[in-house]
Amino acid sequence: MDRTVDARDTFCPGPLMELIRAVKEGEVGEVIAVWSKDAGSQRDIPLWIEKAGHELLAVNEKEEYNEFVIKKLR
């Protein structure tokens, strides 16, 4: 994991916007984790990753939030 974005205190579209910012700032090949408690993230983040051409490596369900692990591909 190269970077972790803790977006547990934000609500839709906050976690997605924080992910987009982290991807823009990151290098190609960087692996970024986003922590989100927002239910909308389960739909929004995978859709954006596919549309933006990156790779969703994992969605890990934690006790009170989900961890989305993304690899920046371009």
Side-chain angles (χ1 to χ4, degrees):
M1 202 78 56
D2 296 306
R3 184 188 309 201
T4 299
V5 177
D6 185 353
R8 292 177 292 178
D9 291 335
T10 66
F11 298 95
C12 189
L16 177 59
M17 300 310 291
E18 292 195 32
L19 170 62
I20 291 171
R21 182 177 335 120
V23 168
K24 284 183 179 178
E25 294 172 356
E27 301 290 329
V28 173
E30 190 170 308
V31 176
I32 301 165
V34 179
W35 297 347
S36 175
K37 291 173 28 176
D38 187 84
S41 295
Q42 293 183 0
R43 180 193 67 244
D44 296 345
I45 289 178
L47 284 174
W48 181 80
I49 291 168
E50 182 178 344
K51 183 177 178 182
H54 303 292
E55 182 179 1
L56 180 61
L57 299 176
V59 179
N60 300 314
E61 293 184 18
K62 304 292 186 178
E63 200 165 306
E64 294 185 8
Y65 63 94
N66 288 319
E67 177 186 59
F68 300 87
V69 182
I70 296 99
K71 184 173 185 179
K72 180 175 178 171
L73 296 181
R74 55 187 191 94

